[in-house]
Amino acid sequence: MVTLYIIETIIKAILVVAVLAGIAGFLTYVERKVLGIMQRRLGPMYVGPYGVLQILADGIKLFCKEDIIPSTSNRFLFMLAPLISASTAFIAMASVPFFPEFSIGEHVVRPIISDINIGILFVLGVGAIGVYGPLLAGLSSGSKYSLLGAARATIQLLSFEVISGLSLLAPLMLVGSLSLVDINNYQSNGILSWLFFSQPLAFLLFMIAGYAELNRTPFDLLEHEAEVVAGFATEYSGMRWGMFFIGEYANMITLAFLVSIIFFGGFNSWGFIPGGLAIVIKVLFFIFLFMWARAAYPHIRPDQLMWVCWKILMPLAVLNILITGIVLVI
C-alpha cells in the first residue's frame, strides 16, 4: 500500500507539472488573442491558422536564444533565481484539490498531490518563498536597474502577502480548518453556502492582493514590461527569462483555483453541472478576468500601490476579521 501511494503521488506530481506547464504556455497565446480583441487588433495571426503555432514559435525562440550571463553577476545566484520562481509556483499546487475524487476500477483517485490539514497555509508559505526569485535575480545581476527592480518587487510582494493572509483569516474562522478540502466541503449545501456571500470583502481583498502578487496589470510593478527596462529580469534572456514567465502563469492558474475553492464552492456540483466541470468553468472565468483587467486598466505608481495597501486594504482586512469574530461570538 505504501509503495502504491508513493507511485500514485509521483504520477500526480508529474501530471500536474506537465499539464499545468502546457496550459501556462497556451495561456500566453490566449491572453494575446483576448487583448487583441479587446483592443481592436488581431493578435498573433501569421504562425499557423489564427496564429495557434505562435506558442511553438515562442518556445523555439526561447530555447535558441543566447543565454547571456553578465560578467559582473554572481553566477550561481543568477542561475538559481529563475529556478526558485518556477519551482515554487508548481510546489504550491501540491495541496490544491483540483477536481472531485473519482474511481478507476476499485481504486479511488483523489486529484490532489497531498491533502495536508494546513493546505492553505502551505500554499501561502511556498508562495512567500517565491519572493527570493526576484530578490536574488536583482541582487545577483550586477546592474543598478535590476537592483532597483528587485527592491520594488520585494516591497510589493511582502506587503501584499500580509493582505492575503489577513483577508483569509475571516473565512477560515467560519470554516474552522486550514484544509482546502474542508473549505470545499463547507460549501457543499448549494450556492448560498458559498463563502463569497458571507465574506464578500475578504474575496475582494484576496483578489486585489493576488493581482499584486502575480505581477498582473494594473499592479505589474515587479517587471513592468511597459518600461524601457524589465525590472529584476533586465539582464535575463532565453529560457531563464522564460522560467520567470512560466512561473507567473502557473501562479495565475493556482490563484484561480484557490479563489474558486475558497469563495465559490470549489468542485461541488453547481445545479445540474457536475463538480469537475463546475470548477473548470470557475477557473476559466477568473483567468479571463485577469486578462480583462490587463486590457482595461492603466498602470499605477508604486507610491499609490503602497498607499492603497497599508492605508486602505490592511485596515479593511483587520476590520473584517473583527466583525467576523464578533458575529461568531454572538
Side-chain angles (χ1 to χ4, degrees), residues 10-133:
I10 292 173
I11 292 173
K12 287 179 183 178
I14 294 173
L15 283 175
V16 166
V17 172
V19 172
L20 293 184
I23 293 174
F26 181 68
L27 284 179
T28 62
Y29 167 79
V30 173
E31 180 161 31
R32 292 168 73 177
K33 296 299 282 189
V34 169
L35 293 179
I37 293 170
M38 290 188 171
Q39 296 168 354
R40 300 185 70 180
R41 53 187 177 83
L42 296 176
M45 286 294 293
Y46 295 102
V47 187
Y50 299 100
V52 293
L53 296 181
Q54 186 65 49
I55 314 161
L56 179 62
D58 290 340
I60 294 173
K61 178 182 72 173
L62 288 177
F63 275 108
C64 295
K65 263 192 170 183
E66 183 181 1
D67 181 23
I68 300 173
I69 299 179
S71 58
T72 57
S73 68
N74 183 312
R75 186 179 182 90
F76 173 73
L77 294 180
F78 188 85
M79 297 169 65
L80 179 64
L83 291 174
I84 293 176
S85 290
S87 60
T88 54
F90 288 103
I91 291 172
M93 298 175 181
S95 63
V96 177
F98 295 101
F99 297 103
E101 61 183 36
F102 58 93
S103 298
I104 300 179
E106 296 182 355
H107 181 66
V108 177
V109 179
R110 305 184 69 199
I112 179 173
I113 296 174
S114 179
D115 181 16
I116 53 179
N117 59 1
I118 53 168
I120 188 63
L121 188 61
F122 177 83
V123 175
L124 294 178
V126 174
I129 295 173
V131 72
Y132 285 103

Side-chain angles (χ1 to χ4, degrees), residues 228-240:
V228 176
V229 294
F232 64 87
T234 298
E235 301 298 330
Y236 282 88
S237 61
M239 275 307 299
R240 296 193 200 281

Side-chain angles (χ1 to χ4, degrees), residues 126-142:
V126 174
I129 295 173
V131 72
Y132 285 103
L135 177 61
L136 293 179
L139 290 175
S140 64
S141 292

Side-chain angles (χ1 to χ4, degrees), residues 120 124 163-173 202 206 262-263 321:
I120 188 63
L124 294 178
I163 306 302
S164 293
L166 289 176
S167 65
L168 290 179
L169 279 180
L172 293 176
M173 289 164 64
F206 186 69
I262 297 173
F263 294 101
I321 295 170

Side-chain angles (χ1 to χ4, degrees), residues 194-213:
W194 291 0
L195 284 170
F196 169 76
F197 295 105
S198 56
Q199 291 290 328
L201 181 57
F203 161 72
L204 183 62
L205 294 172
F206 186 69
M207 281 292 287
I208 294 174
Y211 273 81
E213 292 184 66

